[in-house]
Amino acid sequence: MGKIKKIGVLTSGGDAPGMNAAIRAVVRTAVYNGIEVVGIVQGYKGLINAEFRPFSSSSVSDIIQKGGTILKTARCEEFKSPEGRKKAYDNLKEAQIDGVVVIGGDGSFTGARIFNEEYDIPFVGIPGTIDNDIYGTDYTIGYDTALNTVVEAVDKIRDTASAHNRMFFVEVMGAEAGFIALYSGIATGAEAIFIPETKGEARDLKKMIETGNRRKKSSNIIIVAEGDEEGGAFAIAEKMKDDFKDFDVRVSVLGHLQRGGSPSAIDRVNASRLGHAAVEALLDDQKSVMVGMLNGEITLVPFRKAVKLHKDVNRSLVELAEILSA
Ligand code: ADP
């Protein structure tokens, strides 16, 4: 038997639908390989407070279809300090945990990378964020579900917008990344899409809308990523009101409903693959790496790269959105 006999799994940072499917895959893969597994409650906080729960295969029964995370997640300032990480290390040693799977985003991977520079207990990451903004992977857990939630909501808004000649500014999540906005905008035929990635590039919303209006469109949907430089959907709507007097201008902020819900089939399958791959990576003596997916295949990406490099949206999709919305 190899040197890994017991592993821990935690979810950290923002929650995302599909995290439970990943936890389940980690636990079942560990059990399959004869490794003990413990659930660490509330992310890095649980490491520092030694909130460890022994898990068996049945601990993760009936969770693959559930949103949120059974392990709960948290932000933890203490883990940012050397003292906090020392406590985490001591607790892991005491519990004889030989490796940790961290399901989270950029921040969580930064913490894991620093910990692995200081201590010899390997951490392997699984990208879990609805924003899809992690370098080195096409896919992050929760993005597909969030996208589908947004599309369903915008379709409903479109129905009422058409009935009343309304112009809707719909704000979606993505403080620093426009993946949800861009993809949902294309999927719902939005008249315009505002994303942080096109920051500073000239955007004449008036012109965009007027192009559409030449065909006497009865509704206009403008998707705005919450991080947009113009200041979010309310600010943009306020600026536009006077330019579009024929329209009844409304704003809808979708908010946290985008984080919830039962994970899509894609999220369940990919989270299962990544959970399995993370345990395999630990067994292969990997540390300080994220398991990701590129072109449908599992890849290993050093935390250093995953957190440092920026993943851009596909610019050809920005152009596509403009062509198709005219
Ligand atoms: P996400 O993982 O979704 O990006 P956060 O940015 O909130 O979420 O990070 C989650 C947690 O990761 C933080 O609460 C903290 O415990 C840890 N973390 C983030 N940045 C650092 C850092 N520079 N050093 C150590 N730990 C960090």
Side-chain angles (χ1 to χ4, degrees):
M1 193 142 155
K3 67 180 166 75
I4 303 261
K5 295 191 176 63
K6 189 176 185 180
I7 63 168
V9 55
L10 61 84
T11 48
S12 169
D15 65 306
M19 282 183 162
N20 282 326
I23 295 167
R24 172 178 176 272
V26 168
V27 172
R28 298 255 164 109
T29 305
V31 170
Y32 175 83
N33 284 286
I35 298 165
E36 275 184 72
V37 54
V38 297
I40 299 161
V41 183
Q42 287 205 313
Y44 293 143
K45 217 186 235 179
L47 272 188
I48 288 171
N49 299 329
E51 281 203 62
F52 302 150
R53 311 254 185 282
F55 268 8
S56 66
S57 272
S58 56
S59 311
V60 290
S61 295
D62 202 23
I63 64 166
I64 195 168
Q65 78 281 22
K66 295 192 172 130
T69 157
I70 59 159
L71 287 174
K72 303 211 179 294
T73 177
R75 316 251 183 221
C76 173
E77 278 305 307
E78 211 182 339
F79 198 72
K80 293 184 180 171
S81 70
E83 296 76 26
R85 292 192 295 275
K86 169 84 168 62
K87 271 192 214 166
Y89 176 75
D90 291 343
N91 289 335
L92 286 168
K93 269 282 171 211
E94 165 99 30
Q96 296 183 311
I97 294 171
D98 309 309
V100 175
V101 176
V102 175
I103 307 166
D106 262 356
S108 305
F109 295 165
T110 301
R113 181 187 61 76
I114 295 170
F115 184 90
N116 266 180
E117 277 172 6
E118 298 168 339
Y119 299 106
D120 58 2
I121 297 175
F123 276 43
V124 168
I126 298 177
T129 161
I130 63 165
D131 294 334
N132 197 27
D133 59 344
I134 296 183
Y135 178 86
T137 183
D138 294 331
Y139 167 83
T140 65
I141 293 174
Y143 168 64
D144 186 66
T145 303
L147 183 57
N148 281 295
T149 300
V150 170
V151 168
E152 201 184 321
V154 174
D155 284 348
K156 288 178 179 164
I157 290 171
R158 174 79 80 181
D159 289 346
T160 170
S162 307
H164 292 277
N165 236 24
R166 278 180 179 156
M167 175 178 285
F168 260 95
F169 289 83
V170 183
E171 186 173 299
V172 302
M173 279 188 171
E176 277 142 42
F179 288 93
I180 292 180
L182 180 59
Y183 278 70
S184 65
I186 292 173
T188 57
E191 276 61 35
I193 304 166
F194 280 55
I195 56 172
E197 287 83 350
T198 53
K199 211 175 186 167
E201 293 168 23
R203 289 183 296 192
D204 189 344
L205 179 65
K206 194 163 178 249
K207 209 169 119 209
M208 285 192 238
I209 305 290
E210 277 168 353
T211 313
N213 283 353
R214 280 202 290 276
R215 291 200 291 106
K216 303 240 172 307
K217 285 193 178 191
S218 63
S219 66
N220 277 293
I221 300 275
I222 295 118
I223 308 273
V224 184
E226 62 183 343
D228 193 275
E229 63 181 316
E230 320 266 350
F234 277 104
I236 299 179
E238 198 50 46
K239 275 188 224 159
M240 295 294 149
K241 258 186 185 153
D242 293 339
D243 286 333
F244 300 102
K245 292 217 166 67
D246 294 347
F247 279 98
D248 181 12
V249 174
R250 295 295 167 102
V251 176
S252 181
V253 178
L254 297 187
H256 281 82
L257 67 86
Q258 295 164 86
R259 276 196 191 282
S262 178
S264 68
I266 292 276
D267 272 328
R268 296 181 198 191
V269 173
N270 286 353
S272 298
R273 290 183 68 187
L274 291 171
H276 171 261
V279 176
E280 298 254 292
L282 283 174
L283 291 175
D284 286 343
D285 294 329
Q286 295 287 344
K287 63 179 255 191
S288 208
V289 294
M290 172 191 87
V291 291
M293 283 178 78
L294 283 178
N295 300 320
E297 297 296 328
I298 297 288
T299 52
L300 293 179
V301 186
F303 282 145
R304 187 178 40 80
K305 274 196 176 171
V307 299
K308 199 169 134 211
L309 300 175
H310 178 71
K311 175 172 164 192
D312 203 0
V313 293
N314 185 338
R315 292 300 170 127
S316 68
L317 292 185
V318 175
E319 199 192 337
L320 176 72
E322 280 169 16
I323 292 169
L324 300 186
S325 65

